[in-house]
Amino acid sequence: MTGPQKRRALGAEQSFVLRERPLRDGYELRDTARYADAEWQLAPASVQKQARGLTLRFNRVPEQFRGMHRWLMFTMLSGVLPPGEDRASIPTIIATHYSLITFYRWLDLENGGRPMSTVTGSNLERYQLHLLLKYPGSYGRRHALRAAVRYLWRYRQCLGSDGLTSDPIRVRGWGEAHSSSGSGENSTPRIPELVHSRLLVWALRFVDDFADDILQASDRWEDLRVIRRRSYTPQGVTASKIAAYLQDRVDAGRPLPGFNGHVNYAAIARSVDCTRRALDLHDEAIHNAVDAVGVSDFAYLGVSVRGKLDGAAWTEGVSLDPSRDDSIASLTQVLQAACYIVVAFLSGMRDSEVKHLRRGACEARLDANGEPYRWFVRSTAFKGELEAEGVPATWVVAPPVATALAVLERVHDNRARGRNEWLFGPIKSGPGAGSAGRGGNVAMTTAGTNRQLNRFIQWVNAYCTTHNRADRIPDVDGRPWKLSTRQFRRTLAWYIARRPGGSIAGAIQYRHHSIQMFEGYAGTSDSGFRAEVEAEEAILRGETLQALIDQHEHLDLFGPARADAASRLAALAQDPGFAGQVTTDRRRLIRLASAKGAEIYPGKYVTCVYNPDKALCRAGRQPTTGPDLNACKPLACKNVALDSANISAWLEELTELDVALSAPSVLPPALLVSLQARRDQVQRLLANSQNGAGHDPARELAD
């Protein structure tokens, strides 16, 4: 240990390393780690309920760097920070700790145990080469390892002579270009449509149809566990109860409780309320009963299956063997994963926000008749907030989210274990369920939920194989899709922007849901969700404009703004950065959609060729950078151009109007007049959309 290290250690050895940190509920500072401790438990300062409570273990650091590293970690946690530095988060400190250990060990071999102050630019160049050779396919890993080394320079004023003497980023060869690395959640892969469709359908089946049976089994198991067993009394009352139990089973034709095909004596003892040993004197009677009615792994819990799948019971029963997919331990875990899928996808919440959902988080707003018409959930938002503890936030959600949260409340409303306040807390139900959160988290960790989500896919596909079903969750590139919590928010943004309309679960109106999302979520915290959706909408615009140009469809537009649209798209096609290129790059598509002068917004009924001077959607309102498509007046606006898809949409509406008008006697007079006026306007729009050659595009499409 160097002189500065000794002086720092002597002054700080009794200091609490978390003294400047907010602590989890239930922790007192006096119970937390001190500077001199061999290990520092950081769980008390991991205030997010799902965060893992990791430990800084200094015995893994090479001895010559140990004192310096300990002081760096203390400074980042609670010490006096260098000018311009913010207090790092617990996850950042943990990542820096383990990344620096990699650097120290390499440096120990490279530099012969000499002090950190002797490290030169040549050493750092060789470390960069070492990382390229050791992690050739992982830019993210290399970047994190290099970023950790720079803390030895950023904190040089605190480390004194133990820090780096030069900034690594100024060293030739340090760092690497990586234009496609991206940042934030937009680099997260979107769940493929067919995978997500099946995933959500199965999740809704568990929440809506299977949950009651699983919860019935859970309640039954907890009831049986709390039955008090009487002392061994082989004769008298116990003997008569055993005989009566066996006779009732035989008379009703109900199998005895089994476990993997054998009699479950422990289950019989609990049912009769006697000791296991008391059954030994009745072994012959038990076997006679088995000969008469058999045994069943589902008999002990005795669940009356009510849930249906395609008109039949979805399962034969619920067993106790934790190795089976139909066990209570397995099914409760799969049910919780199903609830997570529904909540995460249909709310747009981050994992940390989902994990902070508590009992009573969901509230329904009622109409004048007492019927719910809007649902809100309250949780805590962390992203972009100054407070480490997060801030309260509210989301507007779809009804299935409210149902899933109600199911989770029932899961955790357990008479034997007590009510769990946190809806995504670990579940231990049934024998062999494990420690269920031995790390002390009141909510499941992100890693734990990721495992649970992928277990959900495994369960569904095993079920489909066993029952010869065709609706399994499909593989992608020959292997099961690997789910993670981050993918749901990314995928929701895509669906809201694309509005597939009913391809997922058949009943969710994505356009309506997107309005709710913006109304109830985007304004509550610095979530960034609106920006994600707007980026997806820009990408969709870019893809559509690119297709119009590539397929020369911009030459076949109709409507009052057709000439302006053709001119703008023709100019865009000549752009050197675009001409002749097909791209799937997100950034280039956004640039294409935002190209100066393009200002073309494809929609279902019209293609808006935006000119603010003519835009009826902006009449009497503040000017903006684009049209308000929700206030579009397509039958009157001069910014309207029509492509073939737009014209098809208008023809479909004409057909619907003709059907309604074909039975005028059932329509109120005012509505009849309104529908006829609408039909005349649509016909006039299509008639006025003839191009310069004089042909009628609507008639051509109809023919």
Side-chain angles (χ1 to χ4, degrees), residues 325-355:
D325 283 349
D326 57 10
S327 72
I328 184 174
S330 176
L331 289 175
T332 51
Q333 298 292 320
V334 175
L335 176 60
Q336 188 177 44
C339 291
Y340 187 97
I341 291 167
V342 172
V343 171
F345 180 72
L346 298 181
S347 70
M349 301 169 78
R350 291 183 170 88
D351 181 63
S352 60
E353 296 158 350
V354 173
K355 297 298 177 56

Side-chain angles (χ1 to χ4, degrees), residues 285-304:
I286 291 173
H287 281 89
N288 289 338
V290 170
D291 291 340
V293 296
V295 297
S296 170
D297 285 7
F298 310 123
Y300 182 39
L301 293 177
V303 174
S304 299

Side-chain angles (χ1 to χ4, degrees), residues 355-375:
K355 297 298 177 56
H356 284 74
L357 287 168
R358 307 168 83 159
R359 184 180 297 276
C362 187
E363 176 184 350
R365 184 168 295 174
L366 307 180
D367 61 18
N369 298 319
E371 296 294 328
Y373 69 93
R374 181 120 346 142
W375 290 261

Side-chain angles (χ1 to χ4, degrees), residues 121-428:
S122 297
N123 294 127
L124 296 177
E125 287 184 38
R126 287 194 290 274
Y127 184 58
Q128 162 82 334
L129 179 60
H130 166 73
L131 296 180
L132 289 169
L133 294 174
K134 187 173 183 180
Y135 306 104
S138 179
Y139 169 84
R141 175 67 173 148
R142 297 192 302 271
H143 176 76
L145 288 166
R146 290 193 304 268
V149 173
R150 194 163 182 263
Y151 277 101
L152 300 174
W153 162 256
R154 291 167 57 180
Y155 282 69
R156 62 194 180 280
Q157 294 184 13
C158 306
L159 298 176
S161 60
D162 295 322
L164 285 177
T165 58
S166 60
D167 189 346
I169 65 173
R170 298 184 180 278
V171 174
R172 185 187 63 182
W174 184 261
E176 55 185 300
H178 190 66
S179 60
S180 62
S181 64
S183 62
E185 289 184 323
N186 280 341
S187 63
T188 301
R190 174 176 54 83
I191 305 172
E193 291 92 313
L194 188 54
V195 171
H196 191 267
S197 174
R198 299 276 176 83
L199 187 72
L200 186 55
V201 165
W202 276 101
L204 290 171
R205 284 171 176 166
F206 266 88
V207 170
D208 295 334
D209 303 322
F210 306 163
D212 284 342
D213 297 329
I214 298 170
L215 293 172
Q216 178 190 350
S218 179
D219 290 344
R220 175 64 176 157
W221 165 249
E222 297 301 341
D223 288 342
L224 292 169
R225 290 183 66 196
V226 299
I227 293 177
R228 294 184 178 180
R229 301 183 186 127
R230 294 173 180 160
S231 59
Y232 170 51
T233 52
Q235 297 181 1
V237 175
T238 299
S240 63
K241 289 179 66 175
I242 294 173
Y245 172 83
L246 295 175
Q247 190 61 49
D248 287 345
R249 287 276 170 172
V250 172
D251 291 346
R254 296 166 58 199
L256 267 62
F259 191 85
N260 289 334
H262 302 286
V263 178
N264 189 337
Y265 282 86
I268 296 175
R270 286 197 185 98
S271 299
V272 177
D273 192 13
C274 70
T275 65
R276 165 66 181 82
R277 186 178 299 178
L279 298 177
D280 290 342
L281 296 180
H282 302 269
D283 196 59
E284 182 177 356
I286 291 173
H287 281 89
N288 289 338
V290 170
D291 291 340
V293 296
V295 297
S296 170
D297 285 7
F298 310 123
Y300 182 39
L301 293 177
V303 174
S304 299
V305 177
R306 295 190 292 266
K308 302 293 184 182
L309 183 57
D310 296 337
W314 69 279
T315 185
E316 185 179 350
V318 180
S319 73
L320 290 175
D321 183 354
S323 66
R324 293 175 51 147
D325 283 349
D326 57 10
S327 72
I328 184 174
S330 176
L331 289 175
T332 51
Q333 298 292 320
V334 175
L335 176 60
Q336 188 177 44
C339 291
Y340 187 97
I341 291 167
V342 172
V343 171
F345 180 72
L346 298 181
S347 70
M349 301 169 78
R350 291 183 170 88
D351 181 63
S352 60
E353 296 158 350
V354 173
K355 297 298 177 56
H356 284 74
L357 287 168
R358 307 168 83 159
R359 184 180 297 276
C362 187
E363 176 184 350
R365 184 168 295 174
L366 307 180
D367 61 18
N369 298 319
E371 296 294 328
Y373 69 93
R374 181 120 346 142
W375 290 261
F376 299 85
V377 294
R378 298 181 303 275
S379 186
T380 304
F382 297 92
K383 182 72 172 183
E385 306 298 342
L386 298 178
E387 295 83 358
E389 302 92 331
V391 299
T394 302
W395 291 257
V396 180
V397 298
V401 175
T403 304
L405 295 180
V407 166
L408 287 171
E409 290 195 8
R410 293 173 60 193
V411 167
H412 289 293
D413 192 8
N414 191 288
R415 292 185 294 277
R417 298 193 305 269
R419 288 157 58 99
N420 189 345
E421 181 180 9
W422 304 96
L423 297 185
F424 283 95
I427 298 175
K428 182 179 180 181

Side-chain angles (χ1 to χ4, degrees), residues 528-547:
F529 187 74
R530 182 187 291 273
E532 292 178 26
V533 176
E534 289 174 349
E536 291 294 343
E537 289 174 337
I539 291 170
L540 177 59
R541 268 188 68 214
E543 290 174 347
T544 306
L545 297 181
Q546 187 178 59

Side-chain angles (χ1 to χ4, degrees), residues 199 202-203 206 334 338 341 452-460:
L199 187 72
W202 276 101
F206 266 88
V334 175
I341 291 167
Q452 199 177 67
L453 291 171
N454 288 285
R455 168 63 180 144
F456 182 88
I457 291 181
Q458 295 171 10
W459 190 97
V460 168

Side-chain angles (χ1 to χ4, degrees), residues 496-574:
I496 288 178
R498 308 301 174 111
R499 297 192 299 275
S503 65
I504 301 296
I508 299 170
Q509 300 175 22
Y510 283 99
R511 179 59 180 164
H512 178 63
H513 191 58
S514 70
I515 295 172
Q516 289 185 348
M517 293 286 300
F518 291 150
E519 176 185 313
Y521 179 44
T524 61
S525 67
D526 189 15
S527 67
F529 187 74
R530 182 187 291 273
E532 292 178 26
V533 176
E534 289 174 349
E536 291 294 343
E537 289 174 337
I539 291 170
L540 177 59
R541 268 188 68 214
E543 290 174 347
T544 306
L545 297 181
Q546 187 178 59
L548 285 171
I549 295 170
D550 288 345
Q551 300 168 29
H552 304 289
E553 293 179 2
H554 62 295
L555 302 177
D556 298 319
L557 293 170
F558 309 99
R562 64 182 183 275
D564 194 5
S567 173
R568 295 187 193 186
L569 290 171
L572 187 60
Q574 299 302 315

